[in-house]
Amino acid sequence: MKVLIAGGAGYIGSTVASACLDEGITPVLLDSLVRGRREYTEGRIFFEGDISDGAVVDRIFAEHPDITAVVHCAALIVVPESVADPSAYYEGNVAKSLDFLGHLRRNACDRVVFSSSASIYQAEDGSPVDERSPLGPQSPYARTKAMCEQMFADIAAAGQMRVLSLRYFNPIGADPKMRTGLQLKRPSHALGKMISCHQEGTPFPITGTSYPTRDGSGIRDYVHVWDLAAAHVAAIRRFDSLLTQSEPSMAINLGTGSGTTVRELCEAFNRVVDTPLATVETEPRPGDVAGAYTSGDLARQTLGWVPTLSLEEGIRSSLDWIPLRDEKLR
């Protein structure tokens, strides 16, 4: 089996490619390298180009006519950046995705696994959500994901494509074999900031302590990136049994099924490191919400997928990846 991975030189896409290789699936990578890393393509079939470039997509299918499905991970993903430059996000994530699907249809490829996001949920009160929960994306980035899902569902309903949207919660960690990991040196998510504070010897700010959660701090659902990759493999394997002409699109949440508060994340971090991380309580940042986590029932029922790696394993692999990242990413 051969699968095209758009955005295959990024954090998620490269990890999905590794999982595919380990499971006997041949990944073909497409990446513009605007955010992806060329180092993550070494030893793999790779085409440099944009998903909206029809000539590149046509060449991929001409050289690899046995591609049976596409994993669409190509996107801009930095929330503050999307607020500062929404036009770039609507063009890069929505308009180019529409172009991409047109190129896939022209090449008779109708199976798409789409990397969506749990940020599209309302998720304001710290409660669990499932796939039927109200949507309420709070940033231009999140709105691009919601728009893509709706756009793809409409195209699928017209009989022109089948699309399985995987709504990620909060990915952490690295490939257990340390082939790839998060390429950013200063990521904006909570664990990345914890690692930076720990390295610099500064307190980690707990932004908001009066949310309606069990300890007042915000809550998220941290899922190991290798577990996410395994879910993609399951989605590829089960695609035809899940999506049919009568049900050509579906969305599935990918999370652990249990939430972790910021305080609990700090406690887990301190169970992994030798020197405890100091914390300081601060006011919520503008736009912050309590957060949410998922039930995970649909992923278990449809994909046969449950996460197997712990929060501590995600933290440990994130820490282990840092010196390798600086060595690998030249």
Side-chain angles (χ1 to χ4, degrees):
M1 181 182 291
K2 192 175 286 184
V3 173
L4 173 61
I5 303 178
Y11 174 43
I12 303 292
S14 65
T15 311
V16 171
S18 294
C20 285
L21 284 167
D22 290 355
E23 292 295 321
I25 299 171
T26 301
V28 177
L29 311 186
L30 169 62
D31 202 294
S32 65
L33 300 182
V34 170
R35 300 292 167 86
R37 298 294 306 210
R38 188 178 298 277
E39 295 90 340
Y40 292 173
T41 71
E42 292 175 0
R44 301 176 180 186
I45 303 169
F46 171 58
F47 291 81
E48 182 176 350
D50 197 281
I51 60 172
S52 65
D53 188 335
V56 173
V57 177
D58 289 348
R59 181 159 61 91
I60 291 171
F61 280 91
E63 295 183 21
H64 301 277
D66 50 343
I67 289 173
T68 58
V70 174
V71 177
H72 179 13
C73 297
L76 301 172
I77 63 170
V78 181
V79 171
E81 184 180 73
S82 77
V83 175
D85 191 2
S87 295
Y89 272 68
Y90 286 114
E91 179 183 1
N93 292 359
V94 181
K96 289 187 177 183
S97 289
L98 180 58
D99 289 341
F100 186 43
L101 257 66
H103 304 325
L104 297 179
R105 288 171 52 205
R106 184 173 63 252
N107 284 281
C109 182
D110 74 339
R111 298 178 182 91
V112 176
V113 177
F114 175 55
S115 296
S116 190
S117 171
S119 64
I120 69 176
Y121 288 113
Q122 208 162 36
E124 294 180 353
D125 61 0
S127 60
V129 298
D130 62 23
E131 291 77 5
R132 298 162 298 179
S133 296
L135 304 185
Q138 299 295 307
S139 69
Y141 158 72
R143 282 188 280 275
T144 66
K145 290 296 187 180
M147 286 181 179
C148 280
E149 277 202 27
Q150 185 59 65
M151 180 171 70
F152 295 162
D154 288 342
I155 293 169
Q160 299 171 347
M161 187 72 61
R162 289 178 292 161
V163 183
L164 177 58
S165 295
L166 301 180
R167 294 173 178 169
Y168 307 163
F169 275 70
N170 301 77
I172 60 171
D175 171 6
K177 295 181 181 178
M178 293 289 136
R179 289 166 286 192
T180 60
L182 189 62
Q183 65 266 44
L184 301 177
K185 291 196 173 184
R186 297 189 70 86
S188 58
H189 59 66
L191 179 57
K193 290 185 176 180
M194 281 184 191
I195 292 173
S196 295
C197 289
H198 189 256
Q199 290 174 326
E200 296 162 3
T202 58
F204 170 77
I206 299 176
T207 53
T209 58
S210 58
Y211 291 116
T213 61
R214 52 184 167 265
D215 62 21
S217 63
I219 194 166
R220 301 292 185 271
D221 192 337
Y222 298 98
V223 57
H224 200 294
V225 69
W226 191 246
D227 279 327
L228 282 182
H232 285 74
V233 172
I236 293 165
R237 300 273 193 207
R238 298 191 178 205
F239 193 95
D240 286 340
S241 65
L242 293 176
L243 299 180
T244 62
Q245 287 186 340
S246 60
E247 189 174 5
S249 65
M250 178 185 292
I252 300 175
N253 290 342
L254 296 182
T256 63
S258 61
T260 299
T261 68
V262 177
R263 294 187 194 276
E264 290 166 347
L265 183 63
C266 291
E267 292 168 1
F269 187 88
N270 283 336
R271 288 195 292 272
V272 171
V273 298
D274 295 328
T275 306
L277 173 72
T279 62
V280 60
E281 297 181 0
T282 67
E283 292 298 314
R285 298 164 299 184
D288 277 353
V289 295
Y293 58 98
T294 184
S295 66
D297 291 342
L298 188 61
R300 182 172 57 255
Q301 294 164 6
T302 57
L303 300 178
W305 176 84
V306 291
T308 61
L309 297 168
S310 69
L311 178 63
E312 286 81 2
E313 286 172 305
I315 294 169
R316 169 52 62 195
S317 69
S318 296
L319 292 166
D320 289 345
W321 168 249
I322 291 173
L324 294 173
R325 175 199 65 198
D326 296 338
E327 176 185 328
K328 288 175 180 284
L329 304 188
R330 301 178 287 277

